[in-house]
Amino acid sequence: MSGQDELEKLESEALAAIGAAADMRALDAVRVKYLGKKGLVSAQMKGLGALPPEERKERGRLLNELRGALEQAIAERRAALEKQALEEKLAKERVDVTLPARPEEEGAVHPVSHVWEEVVEIFADLGFSVAEGPHIETDWYNFEALNIPPEHPARQEHDTFYFHEKADGTRKLLRTHTSPVQIHTMEAQQPPIRIIAPGRTFRCDSDQTHTPMFHQVEALVIDRDTHMGHLKWTLEEFCKAFFETENVKMRFRASHFPFTEPSMEVDINCSWEGGQVKVGEGDDWLEILGSGMVHPNVLRAGGLDPDEWQGFAFGIGLDRLAMLKYGIPDLRAFFESDIRWLRHYGFSALQIPTLSGGLSA
Ligand code: PHE
């Protein structure tokens, strides 16, 4: 076979192989076989040196032409394969926009969770951060450190759930309020303190406005000259923001808590007409929070000097807030896990409360 015939045969074989390459890998294998460093065309190139000069020139030209032709054929094949792959991908990933929408999601965010987020949003805006404490507490944190000694009558009012007594005579309990977080916070950080602590609380009690598990938000502010005026202003600002109106009627009632002095309770004006609660109407009042100036004994229990530091605290009933704001008459229904109730009173997971975008929007 003449040198030229030989090259033509090589070319037609290579072109056939390129045309038959079904994917990029196969194509690359063909490229390596012919044009790679140790490929067939390269081997021919290497043989040029052994030829007499006049033959070498002609054959070199032919070989360069061959290489050019193969490179071009490979590039074309590659483009064709890429196009084909893209078309397959497009066909496979096609979205039929005329299909009906997916069915609505079944779940909903519980009103208490939503109100929890609303409250956090409002207090964050006022410069508070969120603190936490355990559900299972010791007597010290739930009572003693809060100025409620063992024989204090306030213990009876708390209807405490106790755990079994341990060998050393102590017994743990489910916290009856979020106030123990006041002590944990004083232990964990130095004043000035400005925290809220939303969470679950437990008391052995059940009727239309009480459930054995409920939710509170504790607030604690401690600084050198924090006073009752700050407390009252904070509560008023909170209520206006939360109920999204300037006209919430609040009633500040002198009260008593062992851990605050002086103490006051705050009621919100509402009506219960026709089995519905409405805020700012009628002449009923629903107690939503207890508050006061932190008792010196509590500051001491938290390791602070009452001659140097003072502050206020309050505990809001989160579930009560949810009832009032969203007109939900019976607290017990909150915890019955009835999906119809949740569908009616719940919130979409996408409704995240913000002060700028609206809390309950
Ligand atoms: N811990 C009190 C309760 O559960 C509420 C409260 C908190 C009162 C802080 C005063 C200060 O009723």
Side-chain angles (χ1 to χ4, degrees), residues 4 19 41 44 48 61 74 99 114 151 162 188 193 230 267 269 289 301 312 341 346 351:
Q4 190 163 352
V41 176
Q44 292 284 345
L48 283 177
R61 190 181 62 77
I74 288 172
L99 283 175
H114 191 81
E151 299 316 319
Y162 284 100
I193 290 171
H230 296 131
D267 307 329
N269 170 228
L289 64 91
F312 65 76
W341 182 89
Q351 275 176 277

Side-chain angles (χ1 to χ4, degrees), residues 19-326:
D23 56 31
M24 290 298 191
R25 268 178 80 148
L27 184 62
D28 204 52
V30 176
R31 183 187 62 76
V32 171
K33 179 174 174 193
Y34 290 93
L35 301 180
K37 260 204 191 104
K38 293 182 181 147
L40 295 172
V41 176
S42 311
Q44 292 284 345
M45 292 278 196
K46 277 183 199 133
L48 283 177
L51 294 179
E54 57 284 9
E55 266 183 59
R56 191 193 301 158
K57 198 171 161 208
E58 175 60 6
R59 196 162 166 85
R61 190 181 62 77
L62 287 174
L63 276 173
N64 272 332
E65 267 177 26
L66 170 60
R67 190 168 55 190
L70 295 188
E71 275 169 356
Q72 193 187 338
I74 288 172
E76 278 166 11
R77 183 72 191 143
R78 178 178 295 135
L81 285 175
E82 274 169 0
K83 187 158 170 256
Q84 188 188 328
L86 181 65
E87 270 160 14
E88 274 167 19
K89 199 163 177 233
L90 286 175
K92 204 165 69 197
E93 293 177 3
R94 175 133 121 217
V95 176
D96 183 352
V97 293
T98 66
L99 283 175
R102 290 208 188 112
E104 295 245 329
E105 77 268 27
E106 284 281 307
V109 173
H110 196 284
V112 171
S113 303
H114 191 81
V115 164
W116 178 317
E117 296 292 329
E118 290 184 47
V119 170
V120 168
E121 174 73 11
I122 294 168
F123 282 107
D125 189 57
L126 292 174
F128 286 70
S129 49
V130 173
E132 283 184 333
H135 293 162
I136 297 175
E137 273 296 6
T138 59
D139 193 88
W140 166 258
Y141 284 106
N142 197 78
F143 293 123
E144 287 230 44
L146 292 165
N147 200 31
I148 315 175
E151 299 316 319
H152 197 285
R155 292 212 179 195
Q156 269 71 62
E157 288 160 32
H158 278 237
D159 302 306
T160 314
F161 287 112
Y162 284 100
F163 289 85
H164 290 303
E165 208 171 281
K166 287 198 281 188
D168 64 4
T170 62
R171 49 183 183 166
K172 296 227 170 161
L173 49 86
L174 288 175
R175 67 177 181 190
T176 58
H177 49 179
T178 42
S179 299
V181 184
Q182 291 188 29
I183 307 297
H184 289 295
T185 305
M186 286 186 244
E187 285 175 349
Q189 66 186 78
Q190 284 302 306
I193 290 171
R194 209 184 284 161
I195 59 104
I196 57 164
R200 294 178 177 219
T201 47
F202 309 85
R203 286 184 208 179
C204 189
D205 198 356
S206 186
D207 62 30
Q208 198 179 349
T209 51
H210 297 87
T211 48
M213 190 282 294
F214 57 107
H215 299 82
Q216 289 190 335
V217 191
E218 194 78 8
L220 178 68
V221 172
I222 292 178
D223 209 330
R224 292 184 194 278
D225 48 14
T226 303
H227 56 68
M228 281 278 270
H230 296 131
L231 167 59
K232 205 169 168 227
W233 180 86
T234 305
L235 291 175
E236 279 168 356
E237 285 306 302
F238 168 72
C239 284
K240 277 193 275 180
F242 180 75
F243 290 108
E244 298 173 75
T245 161
E246 293 285 319
N247 314 320
V248 209
K249 270 194 249 151
M250 305 169 74
R251 183 166 77 176
F252 291 87
R253 207 162 21 80
S255 181
H256 176 264
F257 298 102
F259 33 94
T260 47
E261 182 60 39
S263 306
M264 56 188 189
E265 282 176 303
V266 177
D267 307 329
I268 294 283
N269 170 228
C270 66
S271 81
W272 293 85
E273 220 131 285
Q276 272 246 314
V277 240
K278 289 213 183 88
V279 175
E281 292 185 7
D283 33 43
D284 267 319
W285 297 89
L286 188 66
E287 181 205 321
I288 58 157
L289 64 91
S291 66
M293 300 305 294
V294 181
H295 195 288
N297 288 348
V298 175
L299 291 169
R300 264 183 225 112
L304 297 178
D305 179 357
D307 291 328
E308 203 178 332
W309 303 106
Q310 60 184 39
F312 65 76
F314 54 85
I316 314 180
L318 257 188
D319 320 83
R320 301 278 183 92
L321 285 184
M323 292 173 77
L324 281 171
K325 182 161 180 179
Y326 297 109

Side-chain angles (χ1 to χ4, degrees), residues 322-354:
M323 292 173 77
L324 281 171
K325 182 161 180 179
Y326 297 109
I328 312 173
D330 195 326
L331 184 61
R332 287 166 298 196
F334 277 60
F335 308 113
E336 277 168 1
S337 303
D338 185 333
I339 189 74
R340 293 163 303 176
W341 182 89
L342 194 59
R343 270 190 209 125
H344 183 77
Y345 288 111
F347 293 81
S348 153
L350 300 175
Q351 275 176 277
I352 294 161
T354 61

